[in-house]
Amino acid sequence: MLFGTIVGSLADKQGRKRACVTYCITYILSCITKHSPQYHILMLGRVLGGIATSLLFSAFESWLVAEHNKRGFEQQWLSITFSKAIFLGNGLAAILSGLVGNLLVFTFGFGPVAPFDAAACLLAIGMAIILSSWTENFGDPSENKDLLLQFKGAAVAIASDEKIALLGAIQSLFEGSMYTFVFLWTPALSPNDEEIPHGFIFATFMLASMLGSSLAARLLARSSPRVESYMQIVFSISAASLLLPIVTNWLVDPAEVKGGGISFSGCIQVLSFCVFEACVGIFWPSIMKMRSQYIPEEARSTIMNFFRIPLNVFVCVVLYNVNAFPITVMFGMCSIFLCVACILQRRLMVISDRPKTDVYEFEDRDTEAEPLNI
């Protein structure tokens, strides 16, 4: 939240390509720190990891949108690219990474840090590709590189455009619920220390996410329904899917024996969690599409990192108090946030449907008032 927001926002002024290279370097360094048992070095690795994460979620998308528009490609291709990125990157690559990491640790016996070393190698390859084949693009072309003014400009853009503010709130609410879910699904499926196949279940979640991104590709390829319309349904379904653990807790008697395999209620919850992951798969390319439509090019990375501030605050508060509330309360809170996201999405659809009207300002002249279209 602190370091990543500042560094991630520099991409608009210093260059998106340079920011993507910085991502590779900072995460390679973060991976290297995993070899140390010293706390302060590990904490430095987390700072570097936070910076890298902010760059990952803003600089790459900003570079892509700017490059796509600069080359005059069709806007529809952008939606296809986003869908393929989620399908191959968040889905297939995540499954393959898990398998490779498991192979390095258990089959070859390289130890628990081996996956980070493999990640560093892939990051180095990615950095070489970026340096050799990407062109640079910027957000604000002015020479003024004052970061405070840049933040102020982004804040004014959010405050003055309701669509941008709604988009930021929707993103924070959904991603906050999603990251909270990451910490909740394991204890939810094994409340009595049941032996659950974590790797298999995670792979199933990723398959559901891939299915969702594939569905999003088909939805985005059509002119109707619009992304602002169908995302209301997605948020409603995701809210209902996270309510199911609460319902099963009321209707199904908990097992009294410790250990054993996954329970009947656990199996039902796995199905609901797969539905939620499918919604996540639809969410990513859809929110990317809406960001490309509503966020101004000159401050794209800065505004996207602004969106992550309430998200990170929310996740920190949840993790700090995770033991203070029953798990059903946490799921209920996430479901409420998703319902609010649905309401805000409805508002976004309504104002995006309004016809655009020209705004005029009149400048007094000696002879007459002349309208200047702005």
Side-chain angles (χ1 to χ4, degrees):
M1 181 183 68
L2 298 176
F3 299 100
T5 302
I6 295 172
V7 176
S9 300
L10 290 172
D12 288 326
K13 286 288 188 181
Q14 303 298 332
R16 277 74 177 267
K17 173 184 175 180
R18 191 175 300 170
C20 294
V21 172
T22 304
Y23 158 77
C24 295
I25 294 172
T26 51
Y27 217 95
I28 287 172
L29 294 174
S30 179
C31 290
I32 292 173
T33 61
K34 299 295 186 290
H35 286 275
S36 173
Q38 298 183 34
Y39 177 80
H40 64 277
I41 294 179
L42 293 172
M43 180 55 72
L44 173 63
R46 293 312 312 135
V47 172
L48 293 170
I51 293 172
T53 300
S54 289
L55 291 170
L56 174 65
F57 281 95
S58 59
F60 286 87
E61 182 181 332
S62 298
W63 180 89
L64 170 65
V65 173
E67 196 70 16
H68 186 95
N69 294 331
K70 184 171 71 176
R71 300 191 182 203
F73 294 152
E74 295 182 22
Q75 282 300 309
Q76 191 58 44
W77 295 359
L78 202 56
S79 302
I80 297 171
T81 303
F82 288 148
S83 300
K84 289 184 181 295
I86 300 304
F87 182 87
L88 298 174
N90 284 23
L92 186 60
I95 295 172
L96 292 176
S97 297
L99 295 174
V100 171
N102 190 77
L103 194 70
L104 292 173
V105 174
F106 295 107
T107 304
F108 295 114
F110 290 149
V113 185
F116 293 96
D117 296 332
C121 294
L122 292 173
L123 287 162
I125 295 171
M127 183 169 64
I129 294 172
I130 293 170
L131 289 170
S132 62
S133 62
W134 289 23
T135 58
E136 185 62 277
N137 62 56
F138 300 86
D140 188 349
S142 67
E143 294 299 320
N144 180 19
K145 298 186 184 297
D146 188 285
L147 186 61
L148 187 60
L149 289 177
Q150 191 176 330
F151 277 128
K152 183 179 178 181
V156 169
I158 295 172
S160 60
D161 192 330
E162 187 180 357
K163 292 191 290 293
I164 299 177
L166 286 170
L167 194 63
I170 290 167
Q171 177 180 322
S172 296
L173 288 166
F174 188 89
E175 288 192 44
S177 301
M178 180 185 68
Y179 289 127
T180 303
F181 165 78
V182 169
F183 296 100
L184 294 181
W185 73 264
T186 302
L189 297 180
S190 55
N192 290 301
D193 300 325
E194 288 92 346
E195 293 290 336
I196 62 172
H198 294 86
F200 177 77
I201 293 173
F202 176 75
T204 305
F205 289 168
M206 291 301 98
L207 286 173
S209 180
M210 291 172 67
L211 179 64
S213 63
S214 180
L215 177 59
R218 287 163 173 76
L219 291 171
L220 289 170
R222 306 173 64 166
S223 57
S224 180
R226 294 172 54 212
V227 60
E228 291 86 356
S229 177
Y230 72 73
M231 282 307 295
Q232 298 175 72
I233 302 173
V234 172
F235 291 139
S236 299
I237 294 173
S238 60
S241 66
L242 293 189
L243 272 180
L244 199 57
I246 303 174
V247 175
T248 55
N249 186 69
W250 287 342
L251 299 180
V252 181
D253 293 331
E256 298 180 357
V257 181
K258 292 285 185 179
I262 188 168
S263 63
F264 174 70
S265 63
C267 293
I268 297 175
Q269 290 181 59
V270 167
L271 292 176
S272 70
F273 293 163
C274 285
V275 172
F276 178 75
E277 285 291 342
C279 292
V280 171
I282 300 173
F283 168 80
W284 283 117
S286 301
I287 198 73
M288 289 175 176
K289 172 65 174 177
M290 289 190 286
R291 285 197 296 242
S292 70
Q293 294 175 175
Y294 298 129
I295 298 180
E297 178 60 37
E298 62 273 10
R300 187 177 299 277
S301 293
T302 306
I303 292 175
M304 287 171 63
N305 279 288
F306 254 65
F307 292 169
R308 297 189 64 80
I309 293 176
L311 164 67
N312 287 322
V313 170
F314 170 71
V315 175
C316 287
V317 170
V318 167
L319 291 181
Y320 186 77
N321 297 285
V322 71
N323 293 321
F325 302 100
I327 196 168
T328 52
V329 172
M330 304 295 282
F331 275 116
M333 179 182 64
C334 291
S335 184
I336 291 172
F337 286 156
L338 292 170
C339 288
V340 174
C342 179
I343 296 170
L344 296 180
Q345 184 67 49
R346 172 68 181 176
R347 173 63 180 170
L348 179 61
M349 187 190 73
V350 170
I351 63 175
S352 66
D353 284 339
R354 291 175 181 170
K356 295 181 179 178
T357 56
D358 290 336
V359 181
Y360 293 89
E361 67 175 11
F362 290 86
E363 197 175 276
D364 290 330
R365 303 293 175 92
D366 292 338
T367 56
E368 62 180 349
E370 181 179 332
L372 299 174
N373 190 313
I374 60 170

